[in-house]
Amino acid sequence: MSTASAALAMLLAATLTGCVDSTDEGKPVESTQPADRSPQAAPAEPRTAAEFLVRAEQAMAGQKGWTFAVKGREGLVLRGQENAATYTATVRRTTGDPWALHSTGATVSKGVSEPEEIYVADGTAYVKKGTAAWEHGPLADPEFAARVEDPLATLEAFRGYGEEVTLTASEDGQDGRVELRVRTATGPLTDVRDQGVVQKALRELAPTLRQLRAAGVAAPESEISVGGVEESLVLDASTYRVTLHTFTCTFLIPYDGQRIRYEQEVTEETSGTYKGTVVLPNGVTEAR
């Protein structure tokens, strides 16, 4: 078997990790001032993406916690051969200070399902896959951050995207929705690397890129292309609550005269409020 074929076999045998689930409108107040002064005006309706994000943060912070349904898919395609994994989970996330998160789900790869449980508390992520022992590390560590799906963190991410965000607001009354979206075009990674949403996509790609390099795929960043990165955040037009978050990215990685296609898709849908508490199980803090 040639070196290239061996590297390809190692690549296709690698198991991918899972992909990483009422604002009071300020009623007009009667004026107690002389009649020649206008009544106090109600707060203006949000118009810009930044204003909608502020309303969304206020709306989501108005509950003790939220439950989200998460679905994801991550895959590699080379020479028509695909290696992919899918992920489903239920995420319960509190909004207090400090906040906490508990996720229960499973990754399916090559027909085999492996359960996964994640806790986040006091800035530390605790992860248990299958029958393996608990692992833990700071949420600031990209290795652990990539395993945690935190839909509310998306609000902060969108603030950081700034003028990259486009806004679409329907006018269907209470059934309406507001969509915030950011995307990048296809092109060399070096041309768009500094865009916020591309930085996020690169953090998601990093664990798989390390696997590829360990399998003999050099993959210099200067030769990687972006097939597309897109992220959207959907708000209820009347309550400003987050109802849906989606993220997709595609990278094209050179290998042996061809290109490996890396794809990831994540959907996080708000299921409802969460009134419980997140408590770490016994022994988890002693994880390695």
Side-chain angles (χ1 to χ4, degrees):
M1 181 180 294
S2 68
T3 301
S5 297
L8 174 59
M10 293 175 66
L11 161 64
L12 296 176
T15 299
L16 296 177
T17 58
C19 302
V20 328
D21 177 247
S22 71
T23 301
D24 291 331
E25 282 298 307
K27 299 178 181 179
V29 178
E30 277 190 30
S31 174
T32 58
Q33 303 299 320
D36 60 344
R37 296 194 182 182
S38 300
Q40 180 178 335
E45 294 290 338
R47 299 295 181 188
T48 67
E51 290 171 346
F52 274 107
L53 285 171
V54 170
R55 291 294 185 94
E57 290 174 331
Q58 293 171 344
M60 300 307 283
Q63 297 290 333
K64 180 179 179 180
W66 296 90
T67 302
F68 303 91
V70 177
K71 295 187 298 182
R73 179 186 176 281
E74 186 175 33
L76 291 174
V77 180
L78 175 61
R79 295 173 182 152
Q81 300 181 62
E82 181 179 39
N83 184 22
T86 59
Y87 179 70
T88 57
T90 298
V91 175
R92 302 166 184 84
R93 208 275 206 187
T94 66
T95 60
D97 185 15
W99 61 270
L101 178 149
H102 181 208
S103 172
T104 53
T107 299
V108 179
S109 178
K110 298 181 180 179
V112 178
S113 178
E114 182 179 44
E116 181 177 81
E117 187 169 15
I118 298 172
Y119 285 90
V120 177
D122 296 324
T124 300
Y126 303 85
V127 181
K128 180 177 176 61
K129 294 183 67 68
T131 58
W134 284 95
E135 298 179 77
H136 77 272
L139 195 56
D141 183 338
E143 192 72 34
F144 284 91
R147 304 188 193 186
V148 177
E149 294 296 339
D150 178 11
L152 294 188
T154 304
L155 293 167
E156 181 177 355
F158 265 73
R159 283 204 313 272
Y161 296 155
E163 295 183 357
E164 298 175 22
V165 181
T166 60
L167 169 67
T168 303
S170 64
E171 298 180 357
D172 299 328
Q174 293 187 350
D175 294 328
R177 51 184 256 162
V178 174
E179 183 177 57
L180 307 175
R181 183 179 297 273
V182 58
R183 59 161 61 98
T184 187
T186 300
L189 173 58
T190 51
D191 289 355
V192 295
R193 197 189 195 290
D194 292 337
Q195 294 184 18
V197 72
V198 177
Q199 289 289 314
K200 176 175 181 175
L202 285 173
R203 290 193 294 271
E204 296 295 327
L205 173 66
T208 299
L209 200 56
R210 283 194 291 272
Q211 290 183 26
L212 293 178
R213 286 169 174 161
V217 180
E221 187 172 292
S222 60
E223 298 180 16
I224 296 176
S225 296
V226 178
V229 182
E230 183 172 310
E231 187 169 15
S232 69
L233 194 61
V234 178
L235 314 179
D236 182 281
S238 59
T239 65
Y240 308 112
R241 292 177 176 179
V242 176
T243 61
L244 182 68
H245 167 241
T246 64
F247 175 82
T248 62
C249 66
T250 302
F251 289 95
L252 303 174
I253 304 164
Y255 172 68
D256 194 27
Q258 300 190 45
R259 294 194 296 185
I260 301 168
R261 184 181 180 89
Y262 169 86
E263 302 173 325
Q264 184 184 128
E265 305 170 2
V266 179
T267 300
E268 300 168 336
E269 187 172 2
T270 306
S271 302
T273 59
Y274 176 63
K275 301 185 182 301
T277 57
V278 174
V279 179
L280 296 177
N282 292 333
V284 69
T285 56
E286 301 172 3
R288 62 185 175 88

